[in-house]
Amino acid sequence: MTETALPDIRFTGRDKLVRAIDTAVASGDEHAVTAALRTVLCNVIGDPEVELPACVHEPVADHYARRELYRSPEHGYSIVAMTWGPGQATPLHDHCGLWCVEGVWHGVLEITQYELLEQDGERFRFRAAGGMQAGPGSAGSLIPPHEYHTIANASSDRVAVSVHIYKGPMERCARFVPEDGEWHRRTDSPLAVDPAA
């Protein structure tokens, strides 16, 4: 993908958000970067000067929507807004080695972290290691190898929106299909991007 083709959707406060993220990603190692980005997201979610494009509030009927809003030509990070219709959720998945900071913009999401207990080839044994309900203005981070999780909008009638900042474009991930008890089978999964405007 050439630099001129990088995603760059215009929205109110976009430049302010990008400047804050640029400063955060230059702050050191992945722990310092993700800590700084959590602060950025918590601050910007409540900032009236930053307003996501209208499309991110529109769910897609058969899957949670992934809309890439921006990709940094200098630092390589990617900003993706996700729209969660009522009941929509991810399977258990990883981030293929990319750190990520996720913030809830609107609604409530249930996030469950998983601990990898053992691996046998493409079979993985996981145990839920904690869960939480995250509401607007909250942010968390995933740093490999602690990247296994699920996200769900448990509401039966409300849409949720989250913003995810990835170290680089997340175009695929590993999904883990339940097999027997705590055992799951790993499958490689490309990740589609929905149109943003």
Side-chain angles (χ1 to χ4, degrees):
M1 181 176 273
T2 64
E3 190 171 310
T4 57
L6 294 177
D8 188 2
I9 306 302
R10 294 290 163 175
F11 54 91
T12 303
R14 180 213 133 321
D15 292 342
K16 181 177 186 177
L17 174 61
V18 167
R19 279 193 306 272
I21 295 172
D22 284 348
T23 299
V25 299
S27 63
D29 70 11
E30 60 194 11
H31 294 281
V33 167
T34 55
L37 286 173
R38 285 193 307 272
T39 300
V40 166
L41 277 183
C42 287
N43 290 337
V44 79
I45 288 168
D47 187 338
E49 294 181 6
V50 181
E51 186 177 322
L52 296 178
C55 67
V56 307
H57 298 281
E58 299 169 10
V60 175
D62 63 347
H63 64 276
Y64 66 91
R66 298 180 75 249
R67 296 176 173 106
E68 189 173 21
L69 303 180
Y70 179 77
R71 192 180 300 175
S72 171
E74 180 181 355
H75 301 291
Y77 66 80
S78 171
I79 304 173
V80 176
M82 293 190 190
T83 312
W84 308 84
Q88 291 180 341
T90 68
L92 175 57
H93 66 283
D94 70 7
H95 282 180
C96 285
L98 298 175
W99 56 251
C100 175
V101 176
E102 306 170 340
V104 179
W105 200 277
H106 177 77
V108 176
L109 292 173
E110 292 183 358
I111 298 142
T112 305
Q113 297 282 108
Y114 287 83
E115 178 184 354
L116 176 60
L117 301 175
E118 62 181 304
Q119 178 181 352
D120 178 16
E122 291 300 302
R123 296 180 72 234
F124 293 71
R125 189 164 73 93
F126 291 104
R127 182 169 297 152
M132 64 178 288
Q133 285 198 338
S138 61
S141 57
L142 298 163
I143 301 173
H146 306 288
E147 60 183 317
Y148 305 103
H149 66 294
T150 60
I151 302 175
N153 178 5
S155 173
S156 62
D157 60 356
R158 296 187 182 177
V159 171
V161 175
S162 55
V163 173
H164 303 240
I165 304 167
Y166 298 100
K167 178 181 180 179
M170 189 169 155
E171 297 168 339
R172 60 190 327 100
C173 71
R175 295 183 184 197
F176 299 91
V177 179
E179 278 198 331
D180 180 33
E182 296 177 328
W183 285 96
H184 295 70
R185 181 158 302 278
R186 180 188 186 279
T187 62
D188 192 37
S189 179
L191 294 171
V193 176
D194 296 284

